[in-house]
DNA sequence: GTAAAGACTATGATATATCATAAAGGTTGC
DNA sequence: GCAACCTTTATGATATATCATAGTCTTTAC
């Protein structure tokens, strides 16, 4: 049975969470995806990252990050100022509008996490985390 | 920290697995995605499902399933014969080529699972499963 | 029987995932 | 200085995710 396979349950859990999270953001009238939110959050704290660095932090592909940055910039949530010492790169800064939307999304995300973890104890979470890390590690490319 | 959040670890675990799994299939010279494989597997055992039924089983969207079915049919892995008693639907049957690719992928998938779960005990898995199910349930729409 | 309601599939629009690669800039070795 | 190499970004191609909706067919209510 499909349902007996742990990877199926894994996939289902994270997808359920993402759907629920996006729905709550949409319902709040906020025009941003959770992936965009994640990237914007990272940039809030580090404005000197390459696309590759960002991709590593959010565990995405550089190409995906490139397109998300372009989108965020087009939407005015991010500004890209050319860096003087490296003609390839830009300094990425969250704009005023970006800050506003981050602030608006933040409490929603916290609520979502609480909702998603309802009925799960700290001890159980403490078991869960290393297992997930182990799976990721087992599947990581040889480097 | 991003890394301290269980959902991040969840996302990373399943993505790592998917990347690894797809890489092993590609390396074996098999031209199929793991999502297509999943759908094909379901159809192997049930050829009388609607797209909605299939979507539920593989936890995807009906629209995604529609496109995957079109693709699988275009590639000759699936055949769609109109059903006499319902002009909207077709009977979906895995073709000979479909059977061959399923058979070729099967052992790879088993190896991948083993690899991904290396160092994780049965008891740990027994803890993991209900936690994942609980998260999915907590996030499920009100119905 | 027929009109309304419902079920099923297909598709448009937009976003993300992934690989591969092109294009441009930077660094190193000499 | 320059050639070879490396880094960074952008983009093409294809697949999937999601919502919304159109189009078709079936069922239900009456």
């Amino acid at each position: 049975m499909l349902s007996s396979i742990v990877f199926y349950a894994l996939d289902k859990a994270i997808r359920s969470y993402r759907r629920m999270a996006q729905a709550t953001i949409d319902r709040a009238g906020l025009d941003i995806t959770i992936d965009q939110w994640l990237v914007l959050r990272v940039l809030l704290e580090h404005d000197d990252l390459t696309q590759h660095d960002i991709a590593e932090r959010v565990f995405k592909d550089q190409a995906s990050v490139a397109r998300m940055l372009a989108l965020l910039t087009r939407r005015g949530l991010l500004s890209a100022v050319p860096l003087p010492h490296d003609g390839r790169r830009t300094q990425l800064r969250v704009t005023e509008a970006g800050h506003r939307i981050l602030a608006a999304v933040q409490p929603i995300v916290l609520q979502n996490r609480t909702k998603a973890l309802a009925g799960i104890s700290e001890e159980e979470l403490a078991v869960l985390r290393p297992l997930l890390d182990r799976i990721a590690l087992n599947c990581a490319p040889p480097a």
Side-chain angles (χ1 to χ4, degrees), chain A residues 10-21:
Chain A
L10 249 175
D11 192 60
K12 188 166 176 173
I14 192 66
R15 275 180 210 255
S16 298
Y17 175 72
R18 290 174 64 91
R19 284 181 195 174
M20 184 270 281

Side-chain angles (χ1 to χ4, degrees), chain A residues 10-140:
Chain A
L10 249 175
D11 192 60
K12 188 166 176 173
I14 192 66
R15 275 180 210 255
S16 298
Y17 175 72
R18 290 174 64 91
R19 284 181 195 174
M20 184 270 281
Q22 189 64 57
T24 59
I25 290 172
D26 294 348
R27 241 184 286 119
L30 300 169
D31 188 19
I32 192 171
T33 68
I34 50 179
D35 292 304
Q36 290 167 12
W37 171 81
L38 191 59
V39 168
L40 212 53
R41 278 240 37 194
V42 166
L43 292 174
L44 193 60
E45 310 192 355
H46 311 270
D47 57 0
D48 58 344
L49 301 175
T50 66
Q51 290 184 0
H52 185 263
D53 292 336
I54 299 169
E56 260 190 6
R57 280 176 198 259
V58 299
F59 204 68
K60 289 175 189 301
D61 190 75
Q62 176 264 326
S64 299
V65 170
R67 279 160 177 133
M68 282 196 281
L69 293 179
L71 224 168
L72 287 168
T73 304
R74 222 187 318 130
R75 294 217 177 146
L77 304 180
L78 200 61
S79 73
V81 182
L83 277 174
H85 66 283
D86 191 332
R88 298 166 297 185
R89 304 181 45 198
T90 56
Q91 178 160 31
L92 299 168
R93 306 229 345 243
V94 179
T95 64
E96 189 47 41
H99 278 93
R100 273 200 302 275
I101 205 163
L102 277 179
V105 170
Q106 189 63 24
I108 298 177
V109 167
L110 295 182
Q111 282 173 23
N112 289 340
R113 287 183 190 149
T114 302
K115 177 174 179 182
L117 298 178
I120 298 179
S121 68
E122 283 296 328
E123 299 81 55
E124 287 173 314
L125 282 184
V127 175
L128 183 54
R129 278 296 312 281
L131 288 180
L132 296 174
D133 291 346
R134 180 67 195 252
I135 291 174
L137 191 65
N138 285 342
C139 296

